[in-house]
Amino acid sequence: MEITTSTLTFAFFSQPFLLASSLTILSLLLALLAIRSKFPKSHPSSSRATSSKRTKTCNCCCSCNGSIENSDSSSVASITGHLNGVASAVDMVAAVSDKVAERQTGASMMEQLVPEITTHALSYLDYPSLCRLSMTNSLMRKAANDDNAWKALYHKDTVTPVNGWKAYYAATRAIVNANTEFYNIIKERALPAMRRLWLNADYVKCIHASGELFSGYNAVMQSWQLAFNWDQGLDFQVRDVRARVLTDMAWVTMKTYVHMDTGPFTVTNVFEFHNGRWYMVHHHNSVMLDGDVDQQILHAF
């Protein structure tokens, strides 16, 4: 087969071949320029001057750029002192951090709890355990002296109502109403209502502010009849009422004021539960030793 010169010339100087050759030559030139700029040619004089000075490698992070010249001895000493100071400060901070971490890890789990959870945990303790806990440290003393912890202890030691808290609340309201009815009867001087309020039994007792004791149902009713026969009006106020209810017995304490300038009377009323209702079985009215005692007794009931 014969290949003519025109055919070779066309193949050699075709457009794709020229473009590929040009790109290859340009890439080689750029690579040579990059290598030349990265490794510049050093002059003999600068090389000798550089070789005459010894360098010392530095591993610090300051501005010495990794080398310290022997001629700058003062700079070396300054940098060394600076590094020693930084190292001492770092050691001091590390020691303090270790102590803080040790103190935090040494704290008990109880001391790291929030106050609400601590109070709930203390509610399971009894009286001696709370006292012992308060002597351990300041944090536990503060937690053991919290009112909520002792309130929970009080409710735990208090007798739980047999019929539940709903029935206990209803009985308390009934006692307070019966006590209010007692003083309404006194204001109205209604002896029949007073007879219905008291239990007809021989062990009921009534002590008026004069100190005279009446025992038995008939004697108590006679004492109230004498009190209602007085011509003086009975205008008084009842304050600080406190009621306590058990299964079939309750008592109410309070203070009564006949005249606000003569001082209060301390009163205790006791009730018993019979046949579905509360009856009064005891009334004790005593004068507080404040002011004119004779004047207070005169207006007592």
Side-chain angles (χ1 to χ4, degrees):
M1 179 183 294
E2 183 180 359
I3 300 175
T4 61
T5 305
S6 59
T7 304
L8 291 175
T9 303
F10 176 77
F12 184 80
F13 292 102
S14 61
Q15 185 175 358
F17 179 79
L18 290 177
L19 182 59
S21 301
S22 300
L23 290 176
T24 302
I25 295 172
L26 182 59
S27 300
L28 292 175
L29 291 176
L30 291 176
L32 291 175
L33 290 176
I35 294 173
R36 184 179 182 88
S37 62
K38 188 174 182 181
F39 299 101
K41 186 177 181 180
S42 59
H43 299 282
S45 59
S46 61
S47 177
R48 286 193 300 269
T50 304
S51 61
S52 63
K53 295 182 181 180
R54 296 181 180 178
T55 59
K56 187 176 182 180
T57 304
C58 176
N59 295 325
C60 67
C61 58
C62 56
S63 59
C64 61
N65 295 326
S67 62
I68 302 176
E69 297 182 357
N70 293 331
S71 59
D72 297 332
S73 59
S74 60
S75 300
V76 173
S78 176
I79 294 173
T80 304
H82 174 69
L83 293 177
N84 292 333
V86 172
S88 301
V90 171
D91 293 338
M92 185 180 299
V93 172
V96 173
S97 300
D98 292 340
K99 290 183 178 180
V100 172
E102 181 180 358
R103 184 173 300 177
Q104 290 179 351
T105 55
S108 64
M109 183 182 297
M110 183 69 75
E111 295 174 356
Q112 297 178 2
L113 295 176
V114 295
E116 291 78 8
I117 299 179
T118 302
T119 302
H120 180 72
L122 296 184
S123 64
Y124 293 95
L125 300 179
D126 55 1
Y127 169 74
S129 300
L130 272 178
C131 294
R132 295 190 188 100
L133 183 66
S134 64
M135 294 186 291
T136 56
N137 54 48
S138 59
L139 293 176
M140 289 296 98
R141 181 170 64 253
K142 182 179 179 181
N145 291 334
D146 188 81
D147 288 340
N148 293 324
W150 290 98
K151 181 180 179 181
L153 181 63
Y154 170 79
H155 285 295
K156 184 173 64 175
D157 292 343
T158 304
V159 178
T160 304
V162 178
N163 299 324
W165 289 102
K166 181 179 180 180
Y168 180 81
Y169 177 80
T172 303
R173 294 300 305 173
I175 284 298
V176 173
N177 293 335
N179 189 75
T180 303
E181 181 184 358
F182 169 72
Y183 284 102
N184 290 334
I185 292 173
I186 294 176
K187 290 180 179 180
E188 297 172 359
R189 301 184 183 187
L191 187 60
M194 185 67 76
R195 292 180 182 274
R196 291 191 298 269
L197 181 65
W198 281 79
L199 180 67
N200 192 350
D202 57 353
Y203 60 84
V204 297
K205 299 182 183 300
C206 180
I207 305 174
H208 294 281
S210 60
E212 189 174 0
L213 171 63
F214 299 90
S215 182
Y217 179 78
N218 294 328
V220 170
M221 291 302 104
Q222 291 177 0
S223 70
W224 284 114
Q225 185 175 6
L226 292 174
F228 291 161
N229 289 336
W230 284 9
D231 293 335
Q232 62 177 356
L234 295 177
D235 186 14
F236 54 88
Q237 296 181 5
V238 181
R239 297 183 178 181
D240 299 333
V241 179
R242 299 289 185 271
R244 183 76 170 90
V245 181
L246 298 181
T247 304
D248 54 359
M249 179 177 291
W251 59 91
V252 185
T253 59
M254 70 220 77
K255 294 179 181 179
T256 59
Y257 295 82
V258 178
H259 296 287
M260 298 305 295
D261 56 347
T262 58
F265 295 89
T266 302
V267 183
T268 302
N269 293 330
V270 181
F271 297 84
E272 286 186 359
F273 191 76
H274 295 277
N275 300 323
R277 57 164 295 188
W278 292 95
Y279 292 89
M280 181 175 284
V281 297
H282 186 89
H283 169 73
H284 191 165
N285 188 3
S286 60
V287 60
M288 298 184 66
L289 299 179
D290 184 14
D292 191 353
V293 178
D294 295 334
Q295 185 70 18
Q296 288 181 266
I297 296 176
L298 181 63
H299 295 86
F301 46 86

